[in-house]
Amino acid sequence: MSGIVNQTGSRSGVIGTTVGTPTTSASGWIHIATKSISGASNITINQSDHASIFSSSYPLYMVTMNDYSDLASGDSLRLRYEYNGSIQSSTYGYHYTASGINASASSTGNSTSTSDIQLAGDDTQASSGGNRIGHLVLYINEPDHNTRQLVQWRMVHHAGAGGDAHGVHGVGVYDGASYPVTGLYFFTNGGNNFTATFKVFGLSG
């Protein structure tokens, strides 16, 4: 597979990583790295992008995603944890609540034992022209600890080619074991390609 810039190895569709310049003297949210995807169905953000990602460097991390576009009908954005270089694919739990411009689109979703964390509803499709985009803000606390780390998120996305807009908030956990989280793996449940730009920040001070 090809397409990575600024990393060792290759992965189709991943455009590359822009590394921030964290400083220990600064306070607030410190930008660590930016990574984009286009023409691929998954992306992993981990310590190969920057050594201080999901480490003891910061007690709280924020991952943002913008310019999200997925033209495949019925897709939804999903999340898995990476532990020591291995993506885990079982024993996740999550709960989300979604509200839409159309009242009939409001929904909830949850599972106590599943293969991933569902970040949005069953359809995060953009318009056929690709001019409708979504965004995400996700937090993970103390990822270097040997605990069952929680994630909390909010996401706004379009649903279907007609342009309905949804707002989602939720919480998720990996409950299979207790290890440090070394990365986050984002993908679509239908295996379809999407585009997005991810940024990772650590809270300092």
Side-chain angles (χ1 to χ4, degrees):
M1 301 170 75
S2 62
I4 278 191
V5 178
N6 298 333
Q7 291 196 73
T8 302
S10 61
R11 200 178 313 150
S12 178
V14 178
I15 296 175
T17 303
T18 301
V19 176
T21 54
T23 58
T24 56
S25 61
S27 296
W29 289 109
I30 309 301
H31 174 240
I32 302 170
T34 298
K35 193 171 185 178
S36 298
I37 180 173
S38 179
S41 62
N42 62 79
I43 184 171
T44 302
I45 302 169
N46 58 22
Q47 292 171 358
S48 67
D49 300 310
H50 195 285
S52 64
I53 287 179
F54 310 134
S55 69
S56 60
S57 299
Y58 301 97
L60 181 65
Y61 286 84
M62 176 174 65
V63 179
T64 67
M65 177 193 73
N66 61 357
D67 296 337
Y68 173 80
S69 180
D70 176 3
L71 299 183
S73 177
D75 264 1
S76 64
L77 189 65
R78 308 294 180 102
L79 172 69
R80 289 174 177 163
Y81 290 1
E82 177 193 274
Y83 283 156
N84 299 320
S86 177
I87 307 297
Q88 306 302 308
S89 59
S90 63
T91 60
Y92 290 93
Y94 67 84
H95 185 279
Y96 71 82
T97 301
S99 58
I101 291 177
N102 296 325
S104 61
S106 299
S107 64
T108 60
N110 72 282
S111 179
T112 57
S113 181
T114 188
S115 60
D116 52 60
I117 296 171
Q118 185 171 338
L119 298 175
D122 291 330
D123 195 345
T124 53
Q125 179 187 14
S127 69
S128 58
N131 60 336
R132 296 189 176 100
I133 55 179
H135 62 267
L136 168 80
V137 179
L138 180 144
Y139 301 93
I140 183 168
N141 180 58
E142 306 283 10
D144 62 306
H145 286 195
N146 288 322
T147 57
R148 288 167 168 79
Q149 295 91 342
L150 297 168
V151 289
Q152 176 187 345
W153 72 91
R154 290 185 177 274
M155 183 177 180
V156 176
H157 65 89
H158 288 274
D164 187 24
H166 288 191
V168 184
H169 66 271
V171 61
V173 66
Y174 176 72
D175 201 36
S178 299
Y179 299 108
V181 174
T182 55
L184 297 178
Y185 173 79
F186 295 89
F187 67 105
T188 58
N189 65 310
N192 296 298
N193 293 345
F194 68 99
T195 62
T197 297
F198 294 85
K199 294 185 179 183
V200 182
F201 300 83
L203 185 61
S204 178

